């Protein structure tokens, strides 16, 4: 019986990886082109102004002068002893604390309510939209509305408080330091608690449902589930909210300026309004405004670092 000839084995063809690599690199160039606008805008409108601001903080540029002279750390020693700046700094921290604490507490409560399947709350989308609405209204409009509401002596709030017997006579809220601070803090809270709520709702919905089911099987109640599962797993988002809210609070500007221009008695003067008035009003002290801006940057960095370090240390202690 004749044997069949063995099949001819052809040599394996080598793949041309060099050509594919060249094509891949060619496509990469388009990625760089798409990224280029961001870096160009960042360098021109963010990086360069930041470096130039730091430079001006070591000069004596003020008024309409165009040639700055180097003065070293003189601006920093002067601004540390500037009572107006120190009051603006304390006001900023106080106003942020007054609006952030109720903001995060109410946002946590609303987020828990919206995502609780046992409550089966209807119309959550409508409520989210309503709560978020103040965030998209312009600050000028909000300042005008609240100035009219709390105006003296015939403002709606004054009339309402007199009708229900809480006030015997009209109260001038904007001549009271405490009253003005409470109004500004409430406006900041009212503008931002909706966004904080939506972010926290997203954080809760991202948690694996099987964890909650396992907790229910083990007999955990709603309170235990929230504090032992929901809240710990929301920690990264809470850190994000804390950092962004803190940086935004340190940059509080439009509402205090538009509502009362920082008055009465500079009770709602913030660091940003201080910087604005130093740079664009009066003596146009660009050196003082630049120094305050650099200090604000340093404070933001320090606070952010402290928050990250605090949460990281707690996590390490818990694992240990």
């Amino acid at each position: 019986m004749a044997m069949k000839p063995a099949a001819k084995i052809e040599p394996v063809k080598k793949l041309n990886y060099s050509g594919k690599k060249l094509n891949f690199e060619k496509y990469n160039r388009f990625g760089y082109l798409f990224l280029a606008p961001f870096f160009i805008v960042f360098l021109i409108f963010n990086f360069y102004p930041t470096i130039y601001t730091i430079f001006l903080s070591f000069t004596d540029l003020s008024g309409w002068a165009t040639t700055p002279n180097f003065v070293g750390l003189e601006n920093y020693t002067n601004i540390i002893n500037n009572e107006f700046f120190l009051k603006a700094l304390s006001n900023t921290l106080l106003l942020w604390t007054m609006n952030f604490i109720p903001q995060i507490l109410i946002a946590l409560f609303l987020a828990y309510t919206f995502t609780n399947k046992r409550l089966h709350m209807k119309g959550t989308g409508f409520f989210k939209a309503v709560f978020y609405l103040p965030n998209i209204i312009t600050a000028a409009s909000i300042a005008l509305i609240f100035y009219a509401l709390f105006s003296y002596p015939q403002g709606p709030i004054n009339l309402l408080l007199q009708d229900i017997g809480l006030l015997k006579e009209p109260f001038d809220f904007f001549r009271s330091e405490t009253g003005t601070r409470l109004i500004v803090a409430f406006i900041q809270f009212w503008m931002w608690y909706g966004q904080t709520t939506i972010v926290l709702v997203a954080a809760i919905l991202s948690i694996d449902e099987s964890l909650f089911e396992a907790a229910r099987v083990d007999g955990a109640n709603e309170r235990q589930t929230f504090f032992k599962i929901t809240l710990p797993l929301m920690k990264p988002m809470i850190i994000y909210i804390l950092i962004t809210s803190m940086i935004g609070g340190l940059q509080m500007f439009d509402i205090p300026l538009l509502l009362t221009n920082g008055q009465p008695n500079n009770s709602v003067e913030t660091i940003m309004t201080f910087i604005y008035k130093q740079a664009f009003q009066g003596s146009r002290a660009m050196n003082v405004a630049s120094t305050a801006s650099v200090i604000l940057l340093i404070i933001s960095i320090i606070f952010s670092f402290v928050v990250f370090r605090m949460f990281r240390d707690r996590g390490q202690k818990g694992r240990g």
Side-chain angles (χ1 to χ4, degrees):
M1 183 174 179
M3 298 291 293
K4 293 183 179 179
K8 187 177 181 181
I9 301 176
E10 297 181 358
V12 179
K13 294 182 179 180
K14 294 184 178 180
L15 296 177
N16 188 3
Y17 288 105
S18 59
K20 291 186 177 181
K21 185 177 181 181
L22 291 175
N23 290 333
F24 185 72
E25 292 178 352
K26 182 179 179 180
Y27 284 117
N28 276 346
R29 296 174 186 174
F30 291 102
Y32 294 124
L33 290 175
F34 284 115
L35 291 173
F38 165 78
F39 285 102
I40 293 173
V41 171
F42 173 79
L43 291 173
I44 296 175
F45 296 103
N46 196 314
F47 182 75
Y48 170 75
T50 301
I51 299 301
Y52 189 63
T53 299
I54 295 174
F55 166 74
L56 289 180
S57 68
F58 295 100
T59 68
D60 62 351
L61 187 66
S62 62
W64 295 98
T66 57
T67 305
N69 299 310
F70 185 76
V71 295
L73 296 175
E74 180 180 338
N75 292 325
Y76 289 91
T77 56
N78 290 338
I79 203 169
I80 290 175
N81 299 314
N82 188 324
E83 294 183 3
F84 189 32
F85 171 77
L86 295 177
K87 187 168 186 178
L89 176 60
S90 62
N91 287 339
T92 303
L93 296 175
L94 177 62
L95 291 172
W96 175 74
T97 304
M98 290 172 64
N99 88 81
F100 179 74
I101 292 177
Q103 178 189 147
I104 189 67
L105 293 178
I106 292 179
L108 276 170
F109 172 76
L110 291 174
Y112 171 77
T113 304
F114 290 157
T115 56
N116 193 322
K117 293 186 176 182
R118 292 187 179 182
L119 295 178
H120 296 290
M121 186 173 180
K122 297 181 180 180
T124 57
F126 169 77
F127 288 111
K128 291 176 188 177
V130 171
F131 294 153
Y132 186 75
L133 187 62
N135 191 256
I136 62 177
I137 302 175
T138 61
S141 301
I142 291 176
L144 182 63
I145 291 170
F146 275 85
Y147 189 84
L149 287 173
F150 289 91
S151 61
Y152 175 86
Q154 297 295 323
I157 300 298
N158 263 311
L159 295 176
L160 175 64
L161 293 178
Q162 290 178 79
D163 288 341
I164 62 179
L166 292 180
L167 289 179
K168 293 182 179 180
E169 57 183 18
F171 180 75
D172 196 344
F173 290 94
F174 296 117
R175 286 186 179 273
S176 167
E177 293 186 20
T178 303
T180 306
R181 284 173 175 166
L182 288 173
I183 293 172
V184 171
F186 175 78
I187 293 174
Q188 293 294 135
F189 153 78
W190 180 67
M191 290 177 64
W192 292 101
Y193 83 102
Q195 177 175 337
T196 305
T197 300
I198 292 174
V199 173
L200 291 177
V201 167
I204 294 175
L205 293 178
S206 66
I207 301 174
D208 191 351
E209 182 63 25
S210 62
L211 297 175
F212 298 111
E213 294 176 357
R216 296 188 194 103
V217 171
D218 290 339
N221 56 34
E222 291 292 325
R223 181 178 177 277
Q224 292 172 330
T225 302
F226 179 77
F227 285 100
K228 298 296 184 180
I229 297 177
T230 306
L231 206 56
L233 293 177
M234 290 172 62
K235 186 176 76 170
M237 192 60 71
I238 292 176
I239 295 175
Y240 165 79
I241 292 172
L242 180 59
I243 296 296
T244 54
S245 176
M246 180 188 62
I247 295 174
L250 291 174
Q251 297 176 0
M252 194 184 307
F253 171 73
D254 41 17
I255 296 299
L257 184 72
L258 295 170
L259 193 65
T260 62
N261 196 26
Q263 301 305 319
N265 195 27
N266 300 319
S267 58
V268 290
E269 193 77 51
T270 63
I271 298 179
M272 289 301 297
T273 58
F274 172 85
I275 293 171
Y276 170 77
K277 292 177 180 179
Q278 292 293 325
F280 303 108
Q281 295 180 359
S283 61
R284 293 176 57 88
M286 298 298 295
N287 56 333
V288 178
S290 299
T291 305
S293 300
V294 174
I295 292 177
L296 177 61
L297 174 64
I298 294 172
I299 292 173
S300 301
I301 294 173
I302 292 175
F303 280 9
S304 300
F305 175 78
V306 168
V307 170
F308 279 116
R309 187 65 182 268
M310 180 178 63
F311 275 89
R312 189 190 68 178
D313 288 347
R314 286 182 178 180
Q316 289 179 347
K317 290 178 182 177
R319 288 192 297 270

